[in-house]
Amino acid sequence: MPAETRSNRDRYTVGRFPSVTLGFGDDEAAKEEPSESKRENGCAQWLRKVCPCCHRKSNEDDHSETVVTGVDDTEKAAEKNDKKPVTSGSEIHELLLTVKSINLMKGKSEKNRTEHHTDRYHGDHLIIRRGQTFQMWITLSRPFDPKTDKLQLDLKTGPLPAVSKETHVIVPLVEDMKGNCWEASVAAQDDKRINLSVNSPATAIIGRYQLTVETCCVNGPATSTPDRGNDIYVLFNPWCEDDTVYMDSEAERKEYVLNDVGQLYYGTENQIGARSWNYGQFDDGILDACLFALEKSGTQPSGWGDSISVVRIISAMINSPDDQGVLEGNWSGDYSGGTSPTVWSGSVEILKAYHKSKGTPVRYGQCWVFAGVFTTVLRCLGIPGRPTTNFSSAHDTDTSLTTDVYLDENMEPIDDLNADSIWNFHVWNDCWMARPDLPPGYGGWQAVDATPQETSQGTYRCGPASLAAVRSGQVYLKYDCPFVFAEVNSDKIYWQRNANGTFTQIYDEKKIVGHNISTKAVGSDIRADITDLYKYPEGTDEERIAVETACRYGSKASAFTQPRAEDVSVEVTMAGQGPVIGQDAELTIRLRNRSSEHRTVALNSQVVVMYYTGVPKATVRKDSAEVDVLPNQETDLEWSLEYKDYKDQLVDQGALMLTLLGRVKETQQVLATQFSFRLRTPDLTLKPLGKAVVGEKLGVEIGFTNPLPHVLKAVMFNLEGLGLITARKIKSGDIGPRATVSLTEYFTPTLAGPRKLLASLDCKQLTQVHGVVDVNVEEKSGAAS
């Protein structure tokens, strides 16, 4: 007779609850159970016997949503002493704190979706934007007691989640939310239900996260069962000031993130055509398709929190030559086996087909199709984006930053050398983001291109290239600025072969490339010309300086006039600690001539207001001047910016940047420099009134003078200090132009020793106003040492 063996399920039961008997008999007794009980696994039998009212038989349709990972320590002790404790059903029921259900409040009309601007996405999942708080309800097996119970959220994304790579996020429960980090706090409690406010940092990795809830009490830990319906999608957040893709204009956010239909431009510079395109970024399944494309790239999800990295990945994955991306390009005229590029009128069908086929490239695309799909993916993931059309668009194949035409001795084109070309039009994309990897001033619009023309770091992709860098010819800044510069502002140069096989430059055209650069206007279907974002007006000194600056880094730098000397320098200096907000800003521009000859400098200046992220907000002044510099002398120019010029444009931090571009007429030397500066804000004065003693009331006088010639409205002071006073808000109301206010606040120190009292001012018209004072707190007389 064969030996009797246990099933795997029984072995699993024994492993889950080792040797726990609780007085229900040994193996011999178990053999006498009714046959129906034998069909239950050991875990279900044990739970049902412990508490039959809560744990019915399996055919009663009662399925636990919690994986139990802990056992009562008292039971282990009883087992060790071979005693069989008598345990009531209610006591066993509360052995563990378990999750019964999770409500993510993910309906389209619910607060999470509407406040995160994700209510237009189809689908039943919670879709949030990083750097912003969302809400959730958790129903537990009993009321939550913060004194004895612990709870945390567990979020995982990617194939191999790891805490060190921020793809496995443990969200702790805290009393006070600090902001810009993963954290949660109890906002409300209703018997067994708790409402959590959950916050994510503005640098969080985007993607789809699996959510579980971990609980722990004196009787052990428990973890909720993963449920795909509770997965959370995290996107970029153009509404969050700390996100690199932040855009401050609501009209532009509606256009470049939320608008799901747009215009693509084509044709020639003299005959511009327009066609509508359905981006469909909110359509059912499109978000999953966009994330699938990111996954298909093979890149690590740990890099998906960086908007720069993400747009480079997307740029590569929209085309297919080297990574089986979304679209296969075809310019042959033969589109058999696929769809003609002119037939497509939207991105939805393309992205869904790619996702459904598990990554088979869709046939076929040309530049406007690549750009239309790219726009969809950018907007779907939360990155502001738009398609951009350049007419007379150059394709530079040899990094010369020129469009070269080679002719033989008889002035006939040499076909095998003429690889450069000028397209009637080319469509790519602009996306909006800060560029912390570049010097200040190069954030904002960035050119990115998914059409596979040339490789970038070994892959068919292009950008993000700062439009500010392209405009000024600073092509040494990453990424792919030389290629984009050549597209919009390269000179066309004709070369003739000599008898000895060398080539001589015989002619150049300076105004052939980069005309009528176009995109759809904000809030309408009118075409907007954005050529001035990519280049200075043709033929101006600034435009020629940009071309010559750029071509110094090209493979044909000798094609341009080289300076006979470089003996003039320019620098910007600032007196003292710099300009003060509310007053005129004054700087000094110093030109130094190290030669023994007279020099004449044509100097152009421009000042822009910047966000602290380096993204320009607005140009507030432009100037040009001709300056004589005597031999071996310095010439100082006093430069000033009046308050009226910048008062309506300032943003937080009060940062500005002065750009100087010039040319020395006698030598053709190019001068260029940029100088960033901040408009200083006044300090708050804090003056303790009397001696600071533990337990005794102390007053502090807060003083402030409004530096602006207009009213500050709804001013609020914030006061706090460890061991002195918990964070307190003090309403001050309006403060008149140039007016001085003084107010007194009282508090009672709680800790002795050297302390710091900190204050700040908050109002819409003025930020970055702070104050601090040292306070030495003495022990109360007679207190124990």
Side-chain angles (χ1 to χ4, degrees), residues 8-151:
N8 287 333
R9 298 181 78 180
D10 290 336
R11 293 178 190 219
Y12 174 81
T13 304
V14 172
R16 274 311 246 187
F17 300 94
S19 307
V20 177
T21 61
L22 294 177
F24 294 130
D26 52 21
D27 287 345
E28 291 299 319
K31 292 179 181 178
E32 298 176 5
E33 285 288 307
S35 59
E36 182 178 353
S37 296
K38 285 185 178 181
R39 291 194 296 268
E40 294 181 282
N41 64 40
C43 178
Q45 291 180 40
W46 182 81
L47 290 171
R48 182 171 56 80
K49 290 181 179 181
V50 167
C51 187
C53 63
C54 296
H55 299 282
R56 302 183 297 276
K57 294 181 181 180
S58 60
N59 61 1
E60 295 181 65
D61 196 30
D62 186 10
H63 301 286
S64 172
E65 294 183 3
T66 304
V67 176
V68 179
T69 59
V71 186
D72 194 330
D73 291 335
T74 60
E75 295 179 31
K76 293 180 179 179
E79 176 194 352
K80 186 174 181 180
N81 298 323
D82 283 334
K83 294 182 179 179
K84 299 178 180 179
V86 177
T87 311
S88 71
S90 61
E91 290 174 330
I92 295 298
H93 181 60
E94 296 187 0
L95 282 176
L96 300 176
L97 177 66
T98 59
V99 175
K100 293 299 181 183
S101 65
I102 300 172
N103 179 4
L104 294 177
M105 305 166 65
K106 56 191 179 183
K108 292 183 181 180
S109 60
E110 293 193 71
K111 189 176 181 181
N112 282 337
R113 296 281 293 270
T114 57
E115 290 191 349
H116 285 251
H117 306 278
T118 60
D119 50 303
R120 293 176 61 187
Y121 286 86
H122 289 265
D124 299 323
H125 285 90
L126 175 61
I127 304 170
I128 62 168
R129 298 189 187 276
R130 65 185 191 176
Q132 192 171 336
T133 302
F134 65 96
Q135 308 290 320
M136 61 188 296
W137 282 96
I138 300 176
T139 302
L140 301 167
S141 56
R142 60 170 172 78
F144 180 76
D145 185 351
K147 296 180 180 178
T148 58
D149 299 331
K150 294 182 179 179
L151 183 146

Side-chain angles (χ1 to χ4, degrees), residues 349-360:
E349 185 180 356
I350 295 169
L351 286 167
K352 285 187 175 181
Y354 181 69
H355 191 196
K356 184 178 180 181
S357 69
K358 295 181 170 54
T360 300

